[in-house]
Amino acid sequence: MLRIERLRVIGLTIMPTFLVACGGLGGTDGDSSVSRVVENAIENQVFVEGGEFELGDVGRPDGSAYVTLVDHSRPAIEVKVDSYSISRYETTWGQMRVYYEATGRLSQYEESPFKHRYVNSPTDDLLSPYFRNKPARVPNYGEAEGYCAWLAQETGLPFALPTEAQWEYGARSRGRRVAYATNSGQVENDPYLKRPTEYVDTSIRPSGNTLIHSSLKFERRPVGSYPPNSLGLYDMTGNVAEWTQDWFQKDYYQHAPRTNPQGPLKAINPESPEKTVRDWAGHGDHVGGNATVFARYGVPVSASGNGFRCVVNHPEPIN
């Protein structure tokens, strides 16, 4: 186990608006890769001071709801969350590959249809959908939860998936009344994936402040390609949707405790258990308010295609 006192802080090979192909956020060369991923996981944690905020769809200035297709995000409720840290980036293909190899989990997918889509070998090719610093889309909820648990084992720190409340509190820069987790609180969508698939040019550099299009295309931008929100968190609007640890309940906000809500204690429907996925802009679903930070839906734990980031549940900064 790599205990925290043995870890040294290292820098990332990251430009402000675009990740470069060398080094970066995790490699695939055995123990040194494990050390690098673990060290970067700690270095990339952003401390979020706890406080009270209104969880849920707080509504537009005229009083209308942002999310109009469903009422899962209403009523907004006043809650308190303790201080924690959260990764500034979504977990990448390179980091996931190191985890799969270190834990012997690649064999789980040898004969699986997921093998070549969601458990893929990362590449140094910036133009590939599997460039090592692009956000991973995992084959199921268990691998997202497992990755954070693996970091906890390697560091001795309480890594975990974020709760819904932690995710939204961070996305909204400690509960600000903003609908998008961007540098401005508004969307300037990169048209990168909007054109017909055959004309998508992966060599075009990012523009705007988020990537929402499109749910039909697998391609995404490297993590950190767009400006962060005011806390320094990247891609909490767009790129990929993200798992949280909470079991999904449509009317949860009507029953949630007011201090550190963590979702229902168990799956509402044990025959089809669902966890809550946030940032539906990451699926390209940008109608009816689904691109806002308030959108929340239940997704079967066996479902593939979502990304994630980890938190550290510790009341003080860890880096």
Side-chain angles (χ1 to χ4, degrees):
M1 181 183 294
L2 284 170
R3 309 301 296 189
I4 178 65
E5 54 268 22
R6 292 176 53 201
L7 292 171
R8 55 188 176 80
V9 175
I10 63 174
L12 292 175
T13 314
I14 298 176
M15 297 170 63
T17 58
F18 210 58
L19 281 143
V20 296
C22 59
L25 297 171
T28 55
D29 55 346
D31 291 342
S32 63
S33 291
V34 171
S35 298
R36 185 161 62 249
V37 168
V38 169
E39 290 170 343
N40 279 322
I42 293 174
E43 173 64 14
N44 287 332
Q45 289 291 310
V46 174
F47 181 68
V48 183
E49 184 179 355
E52 296 182 357
F53 79 112
E54 212 171 353
L55 172 67
D57 191 343
V58 298
R60 302 174 187 274
D62 65 4
S64 63
Y66 282 102
V67 183
T68 58
L69 299 180
V70 295
D71 59 2
H72 300 168
S73 305
R74 298 188 295 275
I77 56 173
E78 192 77 19
V79 301
K80 179 181 180 181
V81 294
D82 293 337
S83 298
Y84 62 100
S85 296
I86 185 169
S87 176
R88 70 177 73 248
Y89 303 113
E90 294 165 327
T91 307
T92 67
W93 290 114
Q95 292 166 335
M96 282 304 294
R97 183 69 178 199
V98 171
Y99 154 74
Y100 289 134
E101 292 179 345
T103 57
R105 297 202 54 75
L106 283 176
S107 61
Q108 301 289 320
Y109 299 99
E110 287 299 328
E111 305 300 326
S112 167
F114 296 122
K115 170 72 173 172
H116 298 295
R117 191 159 175 83
Y118 299 113
V119 190
N120 208 291
S121 296
T123 173
D124 289 325
D125 180 7
L126 183 65
L127 307 185
S128 168
Y130 300 102
F131 172 54
R132 67 176 65 257
N133 289 337
K134 288 179 179 177
R137 301 167 76 174
V138 294
N140 51 57
Y141 170 83
E143 298 299 3
E145 184 179 60
Y147 178 86
C148 297
W150 173 68
L151 288 179
Q153 174 183 311
E154 292 296 316
T155 63
L157 292 168
F159 275 89
L161 285 171
T163 65
E164 275 199 83
Q166 289 175 325
W167 190 95
E168 188 172 317
Y169 187 61
R172 291 170 53 194
S173 298
R174 298 188 66 241
R176 292 173 53 203
R177 297 176 73 89
V178 293
Y180 304 98
T182 62
N183 57 330
S184 64
Q186 302 295 321
V187 164
E188 302 168 34
N189 193 31
D190 187 341
Y192 177 52
L193 299 180
K194 192 173 184 178
R195 57 185 68 80
T197 300
E198 61 268 27
Y199 297 116
V200 171
D201 183 353
T202 53
S203 68
I204 295 176
R205 294 176 68 84
S207 62
N209 66 1
T210 189
L211 181 69
I212 292 178
H213 295 284
S214 157
S215 59
L216 301 178
K217 300 180 178 70
F218 196 80
E219 167 66 5
R220 290 296 186 266
R221 292 290 200 188
V223 300
S225 291
Y226 304 98
N229 70 1
S230 60
L231 281 185
L233 306 178
Y234 293 84
D235 302 315
M236 296 193 83
T237 289
N239 230 14
V240 295
E242 300 182 20
W243 288 108
T244 70
Q245 68 170 263
D246 293 17
W247 293 110
F248 180 69
Q249 181 178 342
K250 293 179 180 179
D251 61 350
Y252 178 65
Y253 291 176
Q254 298 180 32
H255 312 284
R258 295 315 194 248
T259 300
N260 296 320
Q262 298 182 48
L265 295 178
K266 58 184 179 180
I268 300 302
N269 180 3
E271 295 183 0
S272 181
E274 294 182 329
K275 291 286 187 174
T276 305
V277 168
R278 303 300 297 263
D279 186 16
W280 281 76
H283 280 305
D285 299 314
H286 54 282
V287 298
N290 273 354
T292 68
V293 292
F294 307 113
R296 57 186 297 270
Y297 289 88
V299 175
V301 295
S302 60
S304 57
N306 298 299
F308 69 97
R309 69 185 74 213
C310 302
V311 300
V312 175
N313 292 303
H314 192 278
E316 301 292 337
I318 65 166
N319 55 22

